[in-house]
Amino acid sequence: MNIEGNGHKNRLQLVERMDLALHAAVKSGHEIMRIYKSGEFGVELKADRSLLTLADKASHQIILELLTQSGVPVLSEEDQQTEYPLRKDWDCFWLVDPVDGTKEFVNRNGEFTVNIALMQNQTPVAGVIYVPVTQELYVGVQGEGAYKMETDKMDISFAEMKKQGLKLPVAKDQSVYTVVGSRSFMNQETKDFIDTLRKDYPNIEVLSRGSSLKICMIAEGKADIYPRFGPTMEWDTAAGHAIVKAVGKNIYQLDTGTPLEYNKQSLLNPFFVVK
């Protein structure tokens, strides 16, 4: 089914799927917080030298069990078993990062998220990001807008978020140009890019955040631009990409100026700018 279609039935199905994603994000957030508060993280080092904790594993299982009810395939950071020859023909799938910002989780600074995106071909059409520590929930759906609210309610629906949540983006002080960057990754290329921006925006504020919170800040209107000149994977950006698209912004590849594409043979993202 082409969920990008304008038909009423397709739109209803898209919203129903996002209700499932909202439930999965908040439920996994509850379990992540249980582990976070326990202090028993069970930290491991994966083959790519990235961190893996009990929270990553538990969140993955909860999300997988719920999203499979939709009948749509799931591609998760913690379960990359589907080879490209199989997944390249998926016209619709979930793209998931059970805990985005595992380093932030281990460092106990609260700046980690749950990311769930619904993909149509190579494009995110809807996304959910949940911040377990603050209980901030973000959702964006193509053609329906983006919303934010604080909740720990597992049966929260998209309709409730539209009714009770804050519609994004919110107004921002235009006298300051805000750049947001990674808390764990600030290289010379990023610093040079920010220096270039100062020519057009002399009054620049530079903020640092972990995980997909940076993309949320762009969607929310709290930051103007997020340059990323370092490695990220598709599951790091997909949910946030859907949310920024829902407010009329986008994630652009640095070399081509075109939007990020997904479900590539290599799941590594090129360098990009969110604005």
Side-chain angles (χ1 to χ4, degrees):
M1 168 179 278
N2 183 359
I3 56 176
E4 284 190 311
N6 295 319
H8 180 64
K9 182 179 178 182
N10 290 357
R11 187 66 61 193
L12 280 176
Q13 186 179 62
L14 177 54
V15 171
E16 286 172 4
R17 286 174 173 167
M18 292 322 293
D19 286 348
L20 190 61
L22 288 164
H23 177 48
V26 178
K27 185 175 181 180
S28 65
H30 280 238
E31 181 60 15
I32 290 167
M33 285 308 297
R34 185 191 67 77
I35 296 168
Y36 191 64
K37 291 174 181 176
S38 77
E40 299 295 328
F41 297 167
V43 181
E44 302 173 29
L45 206 57
K46 293 194 285 191
D48 64 358
R49 311 298 292 173
S50 62
L51 300 177
L52 178 69
T53 69
L54 294 174
D56 296 271
K57 295 176 182 179
S59 178
H60 166 74
Q61 285 302 321
I62 289 168
I63 294 170
L64 188 63
E65 288 170 9
L66 287 167
L67 295 187
T68 50
Q69 297 175 18
S70 67
V72 175
V74 180
L75 182 62
S76 167
E77 177 181 9
E78 306 312 336
D79 184 16
Q80 305 166 40
Q81 302 305 311
T82 306
E83 298 294 334
Y84 181 68
L86 293 175
R87 61 177 171 82
K88 71 180 178 65
D89 295 321
W90 289 351
D91 63 345
C92 181
F93 67 100
W94 297 103
L95 186 53
V96 175
D97 192 343
V99 179
D100 182 31
T102 301
K103 186 181 292 185
E104 319 302 337
F105 177 89
V106 173
N107 290 339
R108 302 187 66 90
N109 67 16
E111 295 183 358
F112 51 88
T113 58
V114 178
N115 298 350
I116 301 174
L118 185 61
M119 313 298 294
Q120 176 71 39
N121 298 317
Q122 293 183 296
T123 304
V125 294
V128 173
I129 293 176
Y130 188 55
V131 191
V133 169
T134 60
Q135 299 181 348
E136 292 172 294
L137 182 63
Y138 297 83
V139 63
V141 177
Q142 183 176 291
E144 300 286 340
Y147 302 85
K148 173 191 176 183
M149 68 185 298
E150 290 184 20
T151 184
D152 65 349
K153 192 177 160 189
M154 285 193 278
D155 62 348
I156 187 73
S157 69
F158 181 68
E160 284 180 88
M161 289 199 67
K162 285 188 75 170
K163 186 176 181 181
Q164 301 173 19
L166 175 68
K167 184 171 174 57
L168 304 181
V170 294
K172 178 185 176 294
D173 178 6
Q174 296 301 315
S175 67
V176 178
Y177 192 78
T178 304
V179 183
V180 63
S182 173
R183 185 172 297 286
S184 304
F185 191 93
M186 177 65 76
N187 59 11
Q188 191 59 47
E189 287 175 286
T190 308
K191 293 174 183 175
D192 291 344
F193 181 82
I194 294 171
D195 287 341
T196 301
L197 288 174
R198 293 185 196 278
K199 297 174 185 176
D200 295 320
Y201 306 97
N203 193 9
I204 276 186
E205 176 184 34
V206 180
L207 302 175
S208 296
R209 293 291 186 276
S211 68
S212 59
L213 287 171
K214 298 178 287 294
I215 306 178
C216 291
M217 289 181 69
I218 301 294
E220 198 167 348
K222 289 184 176 180
D224 296 290
I225 193 167
Y226 161 36
R228 179 68 186 207
F229 304 145
T232 59
M233 304 300 290
E234 291 187 4
W235 46 75
D236 295 318
T237 56
H241 197 167
I243 295 169
V244 295
K245 281 177 60 183
V247 302
K249 303 176 185 183
N250 219 318
I251 302 183
Y252 300 98
Q253 298 179 58
L254 188 66
D255 57 349
T256 65
T258 56
L260 280 187
E261 292 186 349
Y262 296 81
N263 203 17
K264 306 182 303 298
Q265 184 166 359
S266 167
L267 295 169
L268 183 69
N269 286 326
F271 293 171
F272 61 80
V273 174
V274 189
K275 61 183 179 177

